[in-house]
Amino acid sequence: MKTNKMKIWIGCGIICVLSVLLSSWYAVTFNDSRLIVPMDFKNYVFEIRDLPMIVSVSLTCIYLAMLFVVLFIHTGKKQRQAEETGVTRKINPRLGRLGVLGFLGFAGFWTYSVNGIVFPFAFFLFFGFFGFYYEGKMSGTFMDERFRENIACAKLKAYRITFGIMLIALVILCQGKLFGSLEYTLIAAIITLSLALALGIFLSEYLLYRYDHDDQAEEGGE
């Protein structure tokens, strides 16, 4: 994905988050918290003041769905190209700065306290994008047999750590309501899942970078 397109997608994501926050503030301040607090949708009657919240949430859902599809297609395309050429894909290491978006996850504590919205916690997943820095450092590397073995080892170790964290979290959360609240349990599950996946994404690139450079150092020492 080109840098300009990446910036556009990031900008759209920020706009979606801001629109949800603003529409939530509007609903709490001017619309009696409709569509924010739990309500009986069987008797729901549309009002024009509900429009900002409906539009912002709809746009955010569409954005997330489109982002998932685009990333899935882009990743598959790059993997096929790498297999055909035998060279790792070219990525600018500065894309690792996208990991800063992970700090948007902390906004979830504010949105939950204000209007009960928990989806911003999912932004912790973006911490995994710090791995783009290490992937960028290895752009254009010829994938010989040793490099492919390092890829397998790095991914295996990253998956083990990620699975271990998720398993421990699952065991703990299945013990019952966290602090006596199902909402806290849901929040803990979202945060744990997002951070675990982010760690897996980051480690797969960091470990590969470390393994590859360790091998080069050993060859240089010989």
Side-chain angles (χ1 to χ4, degrees):
M1 187 179 296
K2 296 182 179 180
T3 304
N4 290 336
K5 290 184 178 180
M6 183 72 72
K7 291 180 179 179
I8 292 174
W9 278 102
I10 294 173
C12 291
I14 294 175
I15 291 174
C16 287
V17 173
L18 291 177
S19 66
V20 171
L21 294 177
L22 289 174
S23 60
S24 299
W25 171 81
Y26 173 83
V28 172
T29 306
F30 301 105
N31 199 22
D32 299 325
S33 298
R34 283 170 58 87
L35 303 180
I36 298 294
V37 299
M39 57 185 299
D40 185 7
F41 284 95
K42 293 181 179 179
N43 301 321
Y44 170 74
V45 178
F46 172 76
E47 295 183 5
I48 192 65
R49 290 183 298 177
D50 297 339
L51 198 57
M53 177 60 70
I54 294 174
V55 171
S56 63
V57 172
S58 299
L59 288 177
T60 301
C61 292
I62 293 172
Y63 168 78
L64 292 175
M66 292 179 62
L67 180 62
F68 175 79
V69 172
V70 169
L71 289 177
F72 181 80
I73 295 175
H74 178 72
T75 301
K77 182 179 179 181
K78 288 297 183 180
Q79 287 180 347
R80 288 194 299 271
Q81 290 179 350
E83 290 295 332
E84 293 174 358
T85 61
V87 178
T88 58
R89 62 179 181 173
K90 293 183 179 181
I91 288 182
N92 192 324
R94 288 182 294 181
L95 287 178
R97 297 174 183 175
L98 293 176
V100 176
L101 293 175
F103 289 102
L104 290 175
F106 290 103
F109 294 103
W110 178 74
T111 58
Y112 175 73
S113 63
V114 172
N115 47 40
I117 295 178
V118 298
F119 86 89
F121 289 117
F123 277 94
F124 283 126
L125 178 63
F126 281 93
F127 279 132
F129 284 16
F130 282 121
F132 281 141
Y133 171 78
Y134 295 101
E135 185 177 359
K137 288 291 186 179
M138 296 181 291
S139 292
T141 301
F142 177 70
M143 296 189 295
D144 55 11
E145 184 177 353
R146 182 197 63 186
F147 190 83
R148 293 178 186 275
E149 290 178 355
N150 288 338
I151 292 177
C153 291
K155 287 185 176 181
L156 180 60
K157 188 169 184 178
Y159 292 160
R160 284 178 176 175
I161 294 174
T162 302
F163 179 76
I165 293 174
M166 294 174 64
L167 181 61
I168 293 173
L170 179 63
V171 172
I172 294 175
L173 294 177
C174 286
Q175 300 301 313
K177 297 179 181 179
L178 188 63
F179 300 114
S181 173
L182 284 176
E183 291 184 352
Y184 289 159
T185 304
L186 173 62
I187 291 173
I190 295 174
I191 293 176
T192 303
L193 179 62
S194 299
L195 290 177
L197 292 176
L199 181 62
I201 295 172
F202 172 79
L203 283 180
S204 62
E205 300 300 336
Y206 168 73
L207 291 175
L208 175 59
Y209 177 82
R210 196 186 72 179
Y211 292 161
D212 185 61
H213 280 66
D214 287 347
D215 289 342
Q216 293 180 6
E218 291 178 0
E219 291 180 356
E222 295 176 357

